[in-house]
């Protein structure tokens, strides 16, 4: 991924981006949606001549610009040698150990978060990790401007789809984010949900701005598309993604297409994993594919199918539409923000509506042709627009602070 933010005005520096999430998730071949956001913010921070920090255990390490560029290259696939400390931790994933070694080697300061963030014009946390009330209170005491991003509140609103400890983690994350000086969300729908949840808990609500995420869809490469007609479901295999509806449709038969399920296996979803392990007819599972391989799957599909019960944004939908692939998705506000009037929107519980839609999209029907026509007017969200909006919002916030001081 290469984010190219348009720099219309330079913010006060140094910005300080927390990349702890990226460090902890380097073991995964394909980044998640939030991982991609943090990676784009790393490019933005470097363009702003900012610094980055990451936590290893209880200790935070701050890198200078050169170290941050080395870490960015590492995230993009560059190798890095293990140091002695990393070699003594064989229990950890090798690539994560290499990332930790890189962070330690290029650190210009280390210690508690509030100590090494002092002097930064702003601390940015867009990865959800370390976004708790203790950390944010400590930063506030050091007069560090705190900028946080929330991507969703799904564990609070739908605890039935998450691990047992996820709601408590989300509660702490919301509390911490509401202590920030500036709060960002990835969609207007998420912003509305944050307002509602903060109000219900009596939490203070800082200046809030919804900034749609950008995408950088890679050109399809690395692998040819599968033979024959197929539809694609893309995303982590977790309960809220509602893979069971799709498996039910293919189990019943009568569909003239294969189903390809692309995404690593998540949590709390043993019944779906068991069904996939039985290798149902015309259903194919893929995990840890490269971006190019995923793009080839998207571009060759008759349609992207996302029957989710809940979403914070919907990057797979944006990626599909950007590659000219029609989409059949759940009727969710966040997905409507991304797809606008292009996709087919269905209830995630309307079994027959999904059957009819999949059937119509696996052949050249007028219904599919109509969506392809609508696609011509759709424009992908750009990172340059996201960061231009961020810059304007932050500069207005800084100007307002100066007027009040």
């Amino acid at each position: 991924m290469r984010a190219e933010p348009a720099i219309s005005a330079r913010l006060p520096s140094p910005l300080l981006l927390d990349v702890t999430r990226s460090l902890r998730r380097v073991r995964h071949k394909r980044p998640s949606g939030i991982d991609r956001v943090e990676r784009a913010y790393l490019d933005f921070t470097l363009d702003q001549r900012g610094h980055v920090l990451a936590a290893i255990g209880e200790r935070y390490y701050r890198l200078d610009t050169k170290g941050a560029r080395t870490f960015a290259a590492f995230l993009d696939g560059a190798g890095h040698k293990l140091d002695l400390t990393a070699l003594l931790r064989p229990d950890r994933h090798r690539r994560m150990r290499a990332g930790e070694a890189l962070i330690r080697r290029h650190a210009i300061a280390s210690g508690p978060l509030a100590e090494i963030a002092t002097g930064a014009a702003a601390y940015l946390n867009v990865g959800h990790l370390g976004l708790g009330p203790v950390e944010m209170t400590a930063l506030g005491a050091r007069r560090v401007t705190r900028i946080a991003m929330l991507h969703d509140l799904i564990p609070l609103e739908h605890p039935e789809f998450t691990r047992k400890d996820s709601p408590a983690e989300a509660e702490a994350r919301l509390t911490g984010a509401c202590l920030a000086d500036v709060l960002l969300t990835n969609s207007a729908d998420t912003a509305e949900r944050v307002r509602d949840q903060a109000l219900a808990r009596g939490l203070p609500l800082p200046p809030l701005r919804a900034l749609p995420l950008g995408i950088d869809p890679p050109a399809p490469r690395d692998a040819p598309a599968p033979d024959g007609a197929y539809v694609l479901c893309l995303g982590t295999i977790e309960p809220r993604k509602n893979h069971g509806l799709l498996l039910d449709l293919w189990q019943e038969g009568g569909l003239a297409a294969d189903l390809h399920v692309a995404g690593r296996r998540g949590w709390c979803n043993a019944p779906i994993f068991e069904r996939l392990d039985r290798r149902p007819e015309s259903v194919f599972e893929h995990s840890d594919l490269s971006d190019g391989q995923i793009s080839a799957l998207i571009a060759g599909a008759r349609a992207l199918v996302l029957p989710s019960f809940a979403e914070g944004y919907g990057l797979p939908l944006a990626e599909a539409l950007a590659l000219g692939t029609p989409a059949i998705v759940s009727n969710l506000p966040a997905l409507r923000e991304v797809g606008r009037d292009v996709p087919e929107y269905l209830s995630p519980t309307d079994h027959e509506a999904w059957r009819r839609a999949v059937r119509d999209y696996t052949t050249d029907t007028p219904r599919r042709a109509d969506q392809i026509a609508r696609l011509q007017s759709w424009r992908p969200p750009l990172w340059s627009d996201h960061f231009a909006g961020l810059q304007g919002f932050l500069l207005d916030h800084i100007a307002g602070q100066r007027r009040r001081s």
Side-chain angles (χ1 to χ4, degrees), residues 21 34 128 149-158 162 170-171 173-174 184-187 189-191 193-194 197 238 240 310-313 334:
R21 181 188 181 91
I34 299 179
H128 277 185
M149 177 180 283
L150 288 176
H151 297 265
D152 65 72
L153 295 176
I154 291 170
L156 292 180
E157 298 175 322
H158 299 283
T162 62
E171 185 87 36
R173 188 160 55 240
L174 174 63
L184 310 174
T185 65
N186 54 0
S187 67
D189 180 57
T190 301
R193 294 173 185 277
V194 168
Q197 294 288 344
E238 54 171 303
R240 70 180 174 91
E311 291 286 353
Y313 184 65

Side-chain angles (χ1 to χ4, degrees), residues 215-217 298 315-325 375 378-381:
I215 60 168
D216 294 288
I298 295 173
L315 281 174
L317 173 58
E319 292 172 347
L321 298 183
L323 289 169
T325 298
L375 253 171
W378 186 86
R379 294 293 177 266

